[in-house]
Amino acid sequence: GAVVSQHPSRVICKSGTSVKIECRSLDFQATTMFWYRQFPKQSLMLMATSNEGSKATYEQGVEKDKFLINHASLTLSTLTVTSAHPEDSSFYICSARETHSGTGELFFGEGSRLTVL
Amino acid sequence: DAKTTQPTSMDCAEGRAANLPCNHSTISGNEYVYWYRQIHSQGPQYIIHGLKNNETNEMASLIITEDRKSSTLILPHATLRDTAVYYCIVRVEGPGGKLIFGQGTELSVKP
């Protein structure tokens, strides 16, 4: 199946700094990618839809100035957590759907665990 | 997208079939039923999806009732590696169709 890769898989940063997480579709093109956040013992929460060449669409309650999303190419989307605080510590997961896929499934990355000290 | 209801947890003996139910009574005619699973600290893994016909692949079978208000995911011979949280999701097909996760069913396969 299609592969989605995230980097870094784990990151620790100090409070107040910014952290960038990359999401790449390795063997397919993805016009649309999705970013999720997952806290311990909870389900995945959709944060935003990343659209290649245009602005991301954020879910209600997600601060767009806090979580900057850039989808500069058909294989790369980035999520930047700006001025990170301990409450931003979470498991961030991206997913992508092949642009011309007829099957419809979304492929997920391995996730990036952010710890803010 | 329609909401789904799943049992919080289930146990299954290794080697036996695991039957995971899902209710989606408000599903629309153009919404598909998707199943994903998430093993601890990993990204979700696609399992199977369907519209109204039963589906089978190398991982599982999906049985959808005739009225489409519920479905069952069947893992025919569960192994310890199938221990995971299983999510049943309904969504509209298409490039922008979002996956909205519910709480899922935590399946524990026991020796």
Short mmCIF file of all heavy atoms in Angstrom, two decimals, chain B residues 2 8 12 19-20 25 30 33 53 71 85 89 97 100 107 111:
data_model
loop_
_atom_site.label_atom_id
_atom_site.label_comp_id
_atom_site.label_asym_id
_atom_site.label_seq_id
_atom_site.Cartn_x
_atom_site.Cartn_y
_atom_site.Cartn_z
N ALA B 2 -22.09 10.86 9.32
CA ALA B 2 -22.89 10.21 10.34
C ALA B 2 -22.02 9.74 11.50
O ALA B 2 -20.86 9.43 11.35
CB ALA B 2 -23.61 9.01 9.73
N THR B 8 -17.07 -0.29 23.80
CA THR B 8 -15.81 0.27 24.26
C THR B 8 -14.68 -0.73 24.18
O THR B 8 -13.57 -0.41 23.77
CB THR B 8 -15.95 0.78 25.70
OG1 THR B 8 -17.01 1.73 25.74
CG2 THR B 8 -14.66 1.42 26.17
N CYS B 12 -11.14 -11.46 22.78
CA CYS B 12 -11.25 -12.55 21.82
C CYS B 12 -10.11 -13.53 22.08
O CYS B 12 -8.98 -13.11 22.38
CB CYS B 12 -11.17 -12.00 20.39
SG CYS B 12 -11.21 -13.26 19.11
N ASN B 19 -15.52 -10.64 16.06
CA ASN B 19 -16.63 -9.95 15.38
C ASN B 19 -16.85 -8.61 16.07
O ASN B 19 -17.31 -8.56 17.21
CB ASN B 19 -17.90 -10.79 15.44
CG ASN B 19 -17.75 -12.11 14.72
OD1 ASN B 19 -17.65 -12.15 13.51
ND2 ASN B 19 -17.71 -13.19 15.47
N LEU B 20 -16.55 -7.53 15.37
CA LEU B 20 -16.66 -6.20 15.96
C LEU B 20 -17.86 -5.47 15.36
O LEU B 20 -17.87 -5.18 14.17
CB LEU B 20 -15.38 -5.40 15.73
CG LEU B 20 -14.15 -5.88 16.49
CD1 LEU B 20 -13.37 -6.93 15.70
CD2 LEU B 20 -13.25 -4.71 16.83
N SER B 25 -26.83 4.25 12.40
CA SER B 25 -28.25 4.30 12.02
C SER B 25 -28.61 5.52 11.19
O SER B 25 -29.65 5.53 10.52
CB SER B 25 -29.13 4.23 13.26
OG SER B 25 -28.83 5.29 14.14
N ASN B 30 -24.96 8.01 0.33
CA ASN B 30 -23.68 8.16 -0.35
C ASN B 30 -22.49 8.03 0.60
O ASN B 30 -21.36 8.34 0.24
CB ASN B 30 -23.61 9.50 -1.07
CG ASN B 30 -23.73 10.67 -0.11
OD1 ASN B 30 -24.14 10.51 1.04
ND2 ASN B 30 -23.36 11.85 -0.57
N VAL B 33 -18.81 2.92 4.68
CA VAL B 33 -18.36 2.47 5.99
C VAL B 33 -16.89 2.07 5.88
O VAL B 33 -16.53 1.23 5.06
CB VAL B 33 -19.18 1.26 6.49
CG1 VAL B 33 -18.67 0.82 7.87
CG2 VAL B 33 -20.66 1.60 6.54
N ASN B 53 -22.55 -3.67 -0.23
CA ASN B 53 -22.26 -5.09 -0.38
C ASN B 53 -21.23 -5.53 0.64
O ASN B 53 -20.42 -4.74 1.11
CB ASN B 53 -21.73 -5.38 -1.79
CG ASN B 53 -22.77 -5.08 -2.85
OD1 ASN B 53 -23.95 -5.30 -2.65
ND2 ASN B 53 -22.31 -4.55 -3.97
N SER B 71 -23.01 -2.56 10.85
CA SER B 71 -22.06 -3.43 10.14
C SER B 71 -21.24 -4.19 11.16
O SER B 71 -21.23 -3.86 12.36
CB SER B 71 -21.15 -2.61 9.22
OG SER B 71 -20.38 -1.67 9.95
N VAL B 85 -7.03 -0.81 18.83
CA VAL B 85 -8.30 -0.10 18.86
C VAL B 85 -8.84 -0.06 17.43
O VAL B 85 -8.12 0.36 16.52
CB VAL B 85 -8.15 1.33 19.42
CG1 VAL B 85 -9.51 2.04 19.40
CG2 VAL B 85 -7.59 1.29 20.83
N ILE B 89 -15.92 4.09 10.84
CA ILE B 89 -16.15 5.48 10.44
C ILE B 89 -17.01 5.49 9.18
O ILE B 89 -16.82 4.65 8.29
CB ILE B 89 -14.80 6.18 10.14
CG1 ILE B 89 -13.87 6.09 11.35
CG2 ILE B 89 -15.02 7.64 9.73
CD1 ILE B 89 -12.43 6.40 11.03
N GLY B 97 -13.19 14.07 1.41
CA GLY B 97 -13.92 13.39 2.48
C GLY B 97 -13.06 13.20 3.72
O GLY B 97 -12.03 12.55 3.68
N ILE B 100 -13.63 11.25 10.48
CA ILE B 100 -13.87 11.71 11.85
C ILE B 100 -13.93 10.47 12.74
O ILE B 100 -14.81 9.63 12.59
CB ILE B 100 -15.18 12.50 11.96
CG1 ILE B 100 -15.19 13.67 10.95
CG2 ILE B 100 -15.38 13.00 13.38
CD1 ILE B 100 -14.10 14.68 11.18
N LEU B 107 -9.88 -3.93 21.20
CA LEU B 107 -9.92 -5.39 21.10
C LEU B 107 -8.67 -5.97 21.74
O LEU B 107 -7.56 -5.60 21.39
CB LEU B 107 -9.99 -5.84 19.64
CG LEU B 107 -9.93 -7.35 19.40
CD1 LEU B 107 -11.17 -8.03 19.94
CD2 LEU B 107 -9.72 -7.66 17.93
N PRO B 111 -4.24 -15.17 24.70
CA PRO B 111 -3.77 -16.52 24.36
C PRO B 111 -4.69 -17.61 24.92
O PRO B 111 -5.40 -17.40 25.88
CB PRO B 111 -2.38 -16.61 25.01
CG PRO B 111 -2.15 -15.35 25.71
CD PRO B 111 -3.30 -14.44 25.54
#
